[in-house]
Every structure is written in C-alpha cells, then in structure tokens.
Amino acid sequence: MQLGFLVDLRLCMGCKGCEIACKVENEVPLSTWRLRVKYVDVGTFPETKRTFTPLRCNHCANAPCERICPVSALHYIENGIVNIDKERCIGCAGCVMACPYGAIYIDPQTQTADKCTYCAHRVASAMMPSCVVACPVEANIFGDLDDPMSNISKYIQSHQGNVQVRKPEKGTDPHHFYVGGGNVTLNPLASFRGEGHNLFNNLKHLPIGGH
Amino acid sequence: MVHETIAATNAVVTLDVALPGIVWGWIITMNMWAKSIGTGIIFLGFFLLKKYPEQTGFIRFPIAAISIVFIHIFLFFTVIDLHQMFRFWHIFFYPHLTSAITIGAWMATGFVGLLFGMAYAIYMKKDEALYDKLLGWTVLLAVPVTLYTAGLMAQSTARELWQMPTESAQMILAALLAGTSAMILLGGNKFSDTIKKDLAIILGLAAAAAFILYMAELIFGPMKAEEVAAVLHYIKGGEYTVMFWIGQAMAFIVPMILVCLSLKNQSYYLLKIAAVSALVGLWVSKHVWLVIPQLLPMS
Ligand code: SF4
Ligand code: SF4
C-alpha cells in the first residue's frame, strides 16, 4: 500500500475548512500549521485572478527529512506515510532545513518537529484524514496509489497531463499531487511575498495617535 | 500593489502564514567557526611536528589544549542549539545512520577521546612517541569531523547554496585558515623564519582558494538554479551585502595582502594581524553564507 494525496486546484475555493479541521484534529498550536492554504493574486486590475493552494507534507518516497533525522524520529510506516515520533525528536531542526517544501515546523509547546502525517492515527482506524472530510467541494482526494481502482488512481488516470507535484527537480518523489496547478501556485519563486511573510501581508499598522 | 509583483507572472502572495525565519542562527555559526579552529590546529600541528620536529616540540601540549577547548565550544553550541537538548543522548542510542548529524556526533566523540589521550600522553606521561602516534589517528579523524558539517548542509536539500563538493572544500579551507591563524598567534616569536614563512604561505593560499570558491559561487551559481540566484540576491545589493563583503575582506582579502607584505618585509607582526583578521572574518563569512539560504520562501 502506498497512500497518496491529490488536490484538484480547479475545485478549491479557498475556504480554509481543511486548515481548521487539521488544527482541531491534531491540536496544532497557535501560530503553527501542518496544512495551510496559500492565496496568490495574479494579473493587473481589473484583469485579476485569485488562486488557492493547500500546502502540506508531500510524504516523499525519497524524503530528505527522513534521511537527515539523526534519531529516526521521522520514519516511514508500511502504508508509505512519513510519520514522526515526537518522543525521539531532539529538535535539531535538520528536517526543517532538509524539507524543500517548508512542511515542517518546530512545535512551540513540545519543542519538537511536527508536520502533516496524513492523519496516520485516523487512517489506522480506516478513517479519512480530517481535511478530506472537511472539504465541501471534494477537492481533496486521498487513497492508495498502488491500487488502480482507488479514487486517487482513477483521478490521476483521467487527468493525465494535468497532474503535477511540487519541485520535481528536487528528486524527492512526492506522494502528493495537484491537478490544475501552475507555476504561480506551485513555485514559491514565481510570486512576490510582502515584507515579513505575514498572515495578511498587506496590512499596515496605523500610526500611533492618528488615523 | 502591482509594482510589488514579479514582472513575469504579476503574482503576489496575499494570504499565507508566517514562514519560519532563520532557524539555524549565530549559534550554528559559532559551532562551525570553533570547529574550524579545533580541527585546523591539529592539521597544522601535525604538519609542523613532521616537518620541523626539532624546533616545534613545544607546541605538543598547546595544540592538544587549544583543540580540546575549541572542540568543546563547538560541542557546547551544538547541544544548546537543540530544542530538546537533554535528549542529546538519543543520537547514540537511537542512531539513524543515514544522517550526517549522527555520523558527525560519533566522529566528534572519538576525536575528543583522542585529544584527551594526547593531552594525557604529553602532560602526565611526558611520552612524545605515544603522543605522536595518537596525533596520527587524530589527524585522520579530524578530516571527517571537519567535513561532516558539509555533509549535513548537503543533506539540507531545501538550501541550494549549501552543496557538495563546494561546501566540503570550504570546510577544509576554513580549517586550514583558522588552524594556521591560531598557530601564528600561538607560536609567538618562538618559530624560526622558515616556519613563519611556511605558515604565511599556507594562510595566504587557504585565503586565496576560499575567496576564489566564494566568488565562483557568487558569479556562476545563478546559472545552476533559480533558487541560487534568489539566495544570492541577499548579498547582491540586498540586506546582507555589507556583511558579506566585510566578511570576505577580513577573512580573505586582508590576510592575502598582509601575507604578501609580511613575506616581503619579513614582518611577523603583519602576519599576526592577518591571523586575527582571518579569524574574525571567517566568523562573518560563515554567518552570512549560513543565513541567506534560510531566507528563501519554501512554499
Ligand atoms: S514534504 Fe518535506 S516533510 Fe514531507 S516527506 Fe517530503 S521532505 Fe519530508
Ligand atoms: S528536529 Fe527532530 S525530527 Fe527533525 S531532524 Fe531533528 S531530531 Fe529529527
């Protein structure tokens, strides 16, 4: 079994339901995220378009985070999920440096690395990851890539030529796919990021004492 | 807003969460810097003891002591940088052998053991033959201890700038630069003119080679990947430009000039200034190179 994920970006409407479901399910602390939806605006007014890209760990088959971890805290489980054992982690942040997708953060409460696990605990009980359940438009498709009859395999088959992974040149062999993605959605260097890369990066503080 | 977008795509990130900024900061710079001195002094000590055994016997204990001090600075900063530093022992009891961190920790432990053996042999037992035998093994281990950080950086796949084999060459050159500088400052005026000349030449050549590598990366790096080009923007007119050039000047350019002058004028005083400049500059150069790839947005 080789579990994988696919997001159909043509369906995603940026509701962030998956983000919240993930936060609640995995008790992800404030200011950190296992899954997030990035908004990128493209074009020049009035010809503009907004794109939404859910970003999470890609559960790479050739995962640099697993390779660099000195204590095997990051490890593969039989279904292909790259899992994390927080009891082992020494918080060296090697994995943060190794993951080309910025998918790992250091949990401010436990001081250990954390990331999306495809909800391995739910999958073990034959449930879907919480973000899949929460998506109102079924843009998230999760399943066994080794099984040609699974939803995800059929989806990949029927969208040949329009299925992409992030940063294929890194050779990480991601098990997370996007349909309908493009340079702007998948390549972080193709868009401009405001100062501080903050939540609402166009917000300006009002000057003290005046409006 | 449009003026802020990338011209080719006219795209701007309007909603995203904060990305982690610099995760490996000055503590890792200290780690790399101290390790360069700790292993570099061993390389230089071995060279001098082999080439000039009669005149350099007095450096046996000092090089062991200096290496012990700086390797412990390196280990101290390595451990305090962990978010779970009291679990450090997990590296030895749950090792993952694909990780350069694990291999490095093991090598460094063996290296420290040999250093203490050397110090014991010369200070307690006054046994030069035993010391020299241990020094041979210590030099052998000093090579992977110096190089493992380059391996770790190469495994940091997200950071295009930290690549083998450039990083491994830079690590060895940094060890030679730092080791020679420390030896120049350690020797006082006790070294003969021939030894001083040798030290000056090694310092000058290490500085020149490291400088050439940095410049080669700076000029030709952007041809390799878009990410490298984006990283180098931070030192090509970006927020780290001044710091980068201060580092390059102090670590490499000033020492190269002073080495030439000191050889011409036979001035050991100039050589000492070159050594101090190289040690300070090395810290700054390493720091800039460590930090800039961490500023790239990953997603
Ligand atoms: S996306 Fe990053 S964290 Fe996830 S498996 Fe790949 S390298 Fe590891
Ligand atoms: S931070 Fe934890 S999970 Fe990441 S590489 Fe270090 S020990 Fe492994």
Side-chain angles (χ1 to χ4, degrees):
Chain A
M1 177 182 275
Q2 178 60 70
L3 292 174
F5 218 111
L6 184 144
V7 182
D8 191 335
L9 295 178
R10 300 165 310 175
L11 299 177
C12 178
M13 55 186 188
C15 72
K16 290 178 172 274
C18 53
E19 261 186 26
I20 306 305
C22 171
K23 278 234 165 208
V24 173
E25 175 70 31
N26 297 298
E27 296 179 354
V28 179
L30 279 178
S31 83
T32 51
W33 306 77
R34 283 186 175 196
L35 155 65
R36 63 187 210 263
V37 182
K38 181 174 81 165
Y39 286 20
V40 181
D41 288 0
V42 190
T44 309
F45 182 82
E47 295 299 317
T48 54
K49 191 171 79 176
R50 175 160 288 173
T51 67
F52 312 109
T53 319
L55 303 166
R56 55 170 81 71
C57 167
N58 299 288
H59 295 266
C60 310
N62 179 23
C65 62
E66 188 270 348
R67 193 159 46 241
I68 206 172
C69 179
V71 292
S72 307
L74 285 157
H75 58 275
Y76 288 103
I77 48 182
E78 344 40 89
N79 54 18
I81 289 177
V82 179
N83 211 353
I84 180 155
D85 178 347
K86 296 181 89 171
E87 296 301 315
R88 282 244 182 125
C89 173
I90 58 173
C92 65
C95 52
V96 180
M97 290 298 145
C99 171
Y101 309 101
I104 307 190
Y105 62 94
I106 299 290
D107 182 324
Q109 286 167 0
T110 59
Q111 294 292 308
T112 56
D114 195 30
K115 67 171 191 70
C116 158
T117 60
Y118 279 171
C119 282
H121 59 291
R122 288 174 62 96
V123 171
S125 312
M127 289 191 286
M128 281 283 167
S130 61
C131 55
V132 175
V133 178
C135 182
V137 291
E138 296 186 25
N140 286 322
I141 295 147
F142 179 74
D144 184 5
L145 295 166
D146 283 346
D147 174 5
M149 297 316 287
S150 67
N151 264 356
I152 188 167
S153 298
K154 286 192 206 151
Y155 213 95
I156 290 172
Q157 277 297 326
S158 58
H159 291 85
Q160 295 280 326
N162 197 14
V163 182
Q164 282 177 291
V165 293
R166 288 161 72 197
K167 304 188 186 179
E169 74 282 1
K170 294 281 182 184
T172 55
D173 197 359
H175 285 149
H176 188 292
F177 305 90
Y178 293 93
V179 165
N183 192 31
V184 158
T185 43
L186 301 181
N187 174 7
L189 295 180
S191 54
F192 175 84
R193 232 165 237 274
E195 194 186 328
H197 316 310
N198 284 326
L199 185 57
F200 295 99
N201 57 27
N202 201 27
L203 274 191
K204 300 268 186 293
H205 289 285
L206 293 174
I208 295 170
H211 298 278
Chain B
M1 190 93 105
V2 170
H3 66 282
E4 289 175 339
T5 63
I6 291 171
T9 57
N10 256 354
V12 60
V13 178
T14 45
L15 184 63
D16 197 2
V17 293
L19 296 175
I22 296 163
V23 177
W24 284 348
W26 67 269
I27 292 178
I28 299 294
T29 311
M30 279 302 288
N31 153 323
M32 290 194 286
W33 180 81
K35 180 156 66 73
S36 299
I37 298 175
T39 58
I41 194 94
I42 292 294
F43 293 137
L44 264 290
F46 181 74
F47 167 72
L48 291 185
L49 283 165
K50 278 276 174 238
K51 193 165 177 200
Y52 306 102
E54 304 302 319
Q55 304 165 47
T56 55
F58 74 95
I59 64 170
R60 280 195 175 87
F61 179 69
I63 64 167
I66 289 175
S67 187
I68 286 172
V69 168
F70 280 92
I71 285 298
H72 279 86
I73 294 174
F74 149 67
L75 291 174
F76 173 74
F77 281 98
T78 305
V79 173
I80 63 162
D81 192 58
L82 301 179
H83 291 81
Q84 285 282 3
M85 64 173 115
F86 296 115
R87 294 184 185 170
F88 183 73
W89 54 272
H90 283 195
I91 288 186
F92 298 97
F93 291 91
Y94 304 108
H96 189 216
L97 295 176
T98 59
S99 171
I101 304 175
T102 308
I103 305 298
W106 288 12
M107 297 284 185
T109 306
F111 185 70
V112 168
L114 283 171
L115 286 177
F116 277 110
M118 283 165 56
Y120 173 76
I122 198 69
Y123 191 71
M124 304 294 281
K125 289 193 75 178
K126 316 265 183 249
D127 185 342
E128 293 187 358
L130 174 62
Y131 177 99
D132 289 350
K133 199 183 266 178
L134 288 172
L135 179 61
W137 289 107
T138 312
V139 171
L140 276 184
L141 256 191
V143 176
V145 170
T146 302
L147 291 182
Y148 100 85
T149 318
L152 169 59
M153 291 180 145
Q155 287 192 327
S156 300
T157 322
R159 324 287 151 177
E160 279 285 344
L161 204 52
W162 302 338
Q163 293 297 328
M164 286 285 199
T166 322
E167 273 309 310
S168 52
Q170 282 292 17
M171 294 287 167
I172 287 287
L173 291 171
L176 287 181
L177 191 84
T180 318
S181 300
M183 191 62 85
I184 288 166
L185 298 172
L186 162 76
N189 289 322
K190 288 184 220 141
F191 288 140
S192 67
D193 284 349
T194 331
I195 296 178
K196 288 174 190 162
K197 198 173 152 197
D198 277 6
L199 290 175
I201 290 171
I202 297 172
L203 180 63
L205 288 179
F211 183 64
I212 289 169
L213 267 187
Y214 273 117
M215 290 305 110
E217 289 259 76
L218 186 69
I219 297 164
F220 297 104
M223 293 179 194
K224 289 195 291 187
E226 193 185 3
E227 269 185 12
V228 177
V231 170
L232 292 176
H233 264 299
Y234 295 106
I235 52 175
K236 287 181 172 176
E239 56 189 298
Y240 281 89
T241 308
V242 174
M243 200 173 183
F244 174 73
W245 285 108
I246 288 175
Q248 295 294 305
M250 291 188 75
F252 312 124
I253 300 169
V254 169
M256 280 190 282
I257 295 169
L258 290 181
V259 160
C260 293
L261 291 175
S262 78
L263 286 173
K264 199 165 170 228
N265 307 328
Q266 302 218 327
S267 162
Y268 194 50
Y269 178 68
L270 288 179
L271 203 53
K272 282 183 177 169
I273 299 176
V276 172
S277 177
L279 285 175
V280 175
L282 189 64
W283 196 99
V284 180
S285 306
K286 287 268 168 219
H287 188 62
V288 174
W289 214 253
L290 174 76
V291 161
I292 52 174
Q294 298 180 50
L295 299 171
L296 264 194
M298 287 288 141
S299 53

